[in-house]
Amino acid sequence: MAARNPLPVAAVPFSPMLTPTRSTIAFLPLAAILLGMAGCQFGQLIGGMAGSAERQGSHKVTPKYKGLTGKSFAVIVAADRAIQADFPSIIPVVTLEMTARLSKFAGASGVLPATEVLKYQSQHPGWVAKPMNDLAADLGVERVVYVDMQDFSMTDPGNPYIYNGVVSGAVHVIEVESPTPSEFTFGESVRVKYPDASGVSPTQEPRNNVLSELSRRFIERSAWLFYEHEEPNVIKY
């Protein structure tokens, strides 16, 4: 069979409009550079937005101590006389707020009310010298959350004109069924500060505000040790 003739290709007339000019050829590398720069700036913008979202977001944190679940507990707070003299309400506040948070979130089976713990402390001024197992027996619970406040200051020594608030301490647990019930079975240091900015004076923020925020931060960080919680990705304190 004779081969078919191929389909005729239409002739496209030459047009100077389709021929790249020197200026067009010169512009192409410049356009590529500009597009590359725009891409970098866009990438930096997206990266900056992602970083900002990461800093402003939060994540779940598991408890460092899970042993309050299904157990009865009491919270007891110790602080030296200097702290109690400067901040006489700090022990009741920390006891009440810590007890309330752990009762709500830690999954305990029972709790000795904070008012009963404070009553016990007032009636037994030497309680702090008791062996740990005797203290748990006196309170009648399976777990004692022992908060030892070691520092509570609102300004640096000798400079009452600028706030530099710090609260630090340690949070321990006594377990009655432990092989060594006279010793702590858990311990974690806690330290918070306020204000976040430097150079804040009492004329800029009332003393009670600073005291309240320092207490709140210490209580929050201490209670977080015992239950799952949402924590900011970048925490200021």
Side-chain angles (χ1 to χ4, degrees):
M1 181 183 293
R4 293 183 180 180
N5 292 329
L7 292 174
V9 178
V12 179
F14 174 79
S15 171
M17 295 293 292
L18 301 178
T19 304
T21 63
R22 288 184 178 179
S23 60
T24 302
I25 294 172
F27 174 74
L28 290 176
L30 178 60
I33 293 171
L34 292 174
L35 287 172
M37 292 175 62
C40 290
Q41 291 176 350
F42 181 73
Q44 292 173 356
L45 176 61
I46 294 298
M49 292 172 63
S52 177
E54 175 70 14
R55 290 190 296 272
Q56 294 176 6
S58 62
H59 61 283
K60 283 188 177 180
V61 179
T62 57
K64 291 193 174 182
Y65 179 83
K66 301 179 180 179
L68 294 188
T69 303
K71 303 294 183 179
S72 61
F73 78 95
V75 174
I76 196 163
V77 181
D80 65 32
R81 291 184 179 181
I83 293 175
Q84 294 185 57
D86 291 339
F87 310 100
S89 65
I90 194 60
I91 286 181
V93 166
V94 175
T95 306
L96 288 162
E97 291 299 320
M98 279 282 291
T99 301
R101 285 174 180 254
L102 299 186
S103 297
K104 185 174 182 180
F105 299 115
S109 61
V111 57
L112 182 64
T115 52
E116 291 299 314
V117 176
L118 294 170
K119 181 179 177 181
Y120 169 82
Q121 288 176 287
S122 66
Q123 294 177 346
H124 301 81
W127 70 269
V128 72
K130 278 181 173 286
M132 299 301 149
N133 51 334
D134 289 351
L135 180 59
D138 284 355
L139 297 175
V141 293
E142 297 167 281
R143 301 284 185 271
V144 177
V145 177
Y146 189 110
V147 182
D148 182 14
M149 302 189 71
Q150 298 160 356
D151 181 28
F152 198 120
S153 57
M154 296 179 64
T155 61
D156 291 329
N159 184 10
Y161 308 106
I162 298 296
Y163 289 125
N164 189 22
V166 172
V167 184
S168 64
V171 180
H172 302 284
V173 175
I174 303 166
E175 296 181 349
V176 294
E177 76 277 17
S178 168
T180 55
S182 60
E183 298 177 5
F184 296 124
T185 56
F186 170 82
E188 186 77 14
S189 296
V190 176
R191 185 180 187 275
V192 300
K193 61 185 182 63
Y194 186 79
D196 300 319
S198 59
V200 179
S201 70
T203 59
Q204 295 171 296
E205 185 165 4
R207 182 180 186 276
N208 283 343
N209 286 10
V210 177
L211 175 59
S212 177
E213 182 61 11
L214 277 171
S215 303
R216 186 197 69 79
R217 290 183 174 192
F218 181 80
I219 292 164
E220 182 174 70
R221 292 295 292 271
S222 298
W224 276 351
L225 298 171
F226 298 96
Y227 55 84
E228 185 176 85
H229 59 278
E230 286 283 335
E231 194 167 312
N233 292 339
V234 178
I235 192 163
K236 295 180 179 180
Y237 56 94

